[in-house]
Structures are given as C-alpha cells and as structure tokens.
Amino acid sequence: MNKSQLISAVAEKTSVPKGDVKRVFDALFDIAEQKLGEDEKVVISGFGVFSTIHVSERTGRNPRTGEKVRIAARRMVRFHSNMDIK
C-alpha cells in the first residue's frame, strides 16, 4: 500500500475528504521528520517507534570492480514496531 492508497482508505473509513486526510498526513510526516532531525524519538502508541542511529564510517567494496570504497558516517532512521501482527 502506498501513500495515496493509504490516504484513500483513511478517507473512506472516516468519511473525511481526501484533501483533508492528505494535509493531516503531510503535517504528521513533516513534524516526524523535524523531530527525527533533532534526534528525538517519535513514538506512535500501538504502532511503533521511529528513532535515529549514528552509523560509523566503514570500508565497503564496489561490487563491480571489487575496489575498496570508503562509506561515510551518517545518520539513519530506525523503526521498531510495537504491534502484535496476527
């Protein structure tokens, strides 16, 4: 399911216009992105936790040539579900 399908499903289930649902989703993701950028966790009860991790610099290999390549340090978003999927 992609974003537009999710928006359509929420709009149908709640009888709220798609445009309003899209604005809420966009605001939710903008706020989550901002907070993750500030190294804060985003916890959505009954769904999961988004957090950032710092990945150290490392050496990798170019799969085509086998040449060693330096992979820079970076921050990544990690998600942990706290749902029981049945």
Side-chain angles (χ1 to χ4, degrees):
M1 175 176 273
N2 63 31
K3 181 180 174 182
S4 63
Q5 292 168 331
L6 183 59
I7 288 170
S8 294
V10 170
E12 184 177 315
K13 186 165 185 135
T14 62
S15 300
V16 174
K18 282 185 189 180
D20 292 345
V21 174
K22 183 181 182 315
R23 280 191 291 282
V24 170
F25 269 69
D26 289 344
L28 171 72
F29 293 123
D30 287 345
I31 292 167
E33 181 180 358
Q34 175 189 357
K35 294 302 175 184
L36 288 168
E38 297 169 0
D39 277 340
E40 289 187 42
K41 288 184 180 181
V42 177
V43 180
I44 302 173
S45 296
F47 183 68
V49 178
F50 294 90
S51 60
T52 57
I53 61 169
H54 299 279
V55 179
S56 300
E57 179 180 302
R58 62 189 173 95
T59 302
R61 289 197 179 271
N62 179 331
R64 190 169 290 188
T65 64
E67 176 186 356
K68 288 185 178 181
V69 178
R70 179 178 97 38
I71 301 172
R74 64 189 188 281
R75 284 185 8 203
M76 291 178 53
V77 175
R78 177 164 283 168
F79 174 75
H80 292 281
S81 174
N82 61 8
M83 286 179 45
D84 290 329
I85 299 175
K86 296 176 184 173

